Amino acid sequence: MIIQQKGFDIMVDFKKISPQQIVENPFKLIGGDWGLVTAGTPEKLNTMTVSWGGVGIMWNKPVVYIFIRPQRYTIEFLEREENFTLSFYPDEYRKALGFCGSRSGRDVDKIEATGFTPAFAENGAPYFKQAKLVLCCKKLYGQFLNEESVIAGETVLPNYNGDYHKMYIGEITEVLAK
């Protein structure tokens, strides 16, 4: 079913499933295949590739957790919006995901450059029609990582130059799958 909202499609070619019905390996999806975190409105949205994060249960809810560096343009959208999506793509979009992870939305229109087609979830959060799996999320928590909390410094600290990621935990409110 296709529903129009401000000129964009909602739930195109997707079916709703519960988080417990996700059959793909989250380690492969996030760490291997990569995904896009996307936030914004029909008028202005941004997306970036994520490869650090996970899924689980927290506060008795199914959740995702993702990590965004403070200098990334996407953090402005995540801070401003209540909802975001985490979406995953077939292998043929690997080059587009690489582009979205290596360019800033401040400098280039990633959506135009990749040919992704925006759509919007019931919660208003943007995703792209090309996705195979979309986790629609509501922000529950956000906090910057910090050096004082690092236990395994030899493992963690080489990843930073003072620009600690902000961790976001989002409740999975809807899952769309092809």
Side-chain angles (χ1 to χ4, degrees):
M1 176 194 296
I2 299 174
I3 302 169
Q4 288 280 314
Q5 175 185 349
K6 297 183 181 181
F8 291 96
D9 295 337
I10 300 176
M11 280 187 46
V12 178
D13 300 325
F14 288 91
K15 65 178 180 174
K16 288 185 187 181
I17 63 172
S18 72
Q20 293 78 10
Q21 291 175 293
I22 297 171
V23 295
E24 296 193 60
N25 180 326
F27 293 100
K28 182 178 181 312
L29 284 174
I30 297 168
D33 296 346
W34 307 337
L36 291 177
V37 60
T38 310
T41 65
E43 295 75 32
K44 189 162 178 86
L45 59 93
N46 199 57
T47 192
M48 67 171 271
T49 303
V50 291
S51 60
W52 287 11
V55 297
I57 302 295
M58 185 141 191
W59 303 306
N60 302 311
K61 297 180 180 297
V63 299
V64 299
Y65 53 95
I66 57 171
F67 301 88
I68 310 292
R69 287 195 192 266
Q71 61 268 38
R72 296 304 299 252
Y73 185 48
T74 304
I75 205 166
E76 296 175 24
F77 291 82
L78 284 166
E79 287 296 303
R80 186 171 44 242
E81 302 298 327
E82 179 180 5
N83 299 297
F84 65 93
T85 60
L86 185 59
S87 53
F88 303 95
Y89 297 81
D91 289 339
E92 64 260 27
Y93 293 99
R94 184 69 171 198
K95 185 175 178 181
L97 294 174
F99 182 87
C100 290
S102 63
R103 305 295 194 295
S104 173
R106 287 185 191 99
D107 305 324
V108 65
D109 183 338
K110 295 182 193 182
I111 297 159
E112 182 178 321
T114 59
F116 282 135
T117 307
F120 289 79
E122 287 181 3
N123 69 5
Y127 66 94
F128 302 104
K129 291 182 189 180
Q130 290 83 355
K132 63 180 178 179
L133 179 68
V134 180
L135 307 179
C136 307
C137 304
K138 178 181 179 180
K139 284 189 310 184
L140 297 176
Y141 185 82
Q143 180 175 339
F144 279 100
L145 304 180
N146 61 70
E147 188 171 353
E148 295 78 34
S149 299
V150 173
I151 295 169
E154 67 283 352
T155 301
V156 175
L157 295 178
N159 291 286
Y160 294 102
N161 188 23
D163 60 342
Y164 292 96
H165 287 85
K166 185 164 188 179
M167 176 185 64
Y168 292 92
I169 299 173
E171 176 185 1
I172 302 171
T173 58
E174 182 178 18
V175 178
L176 305 175
K178 284 192 177 169

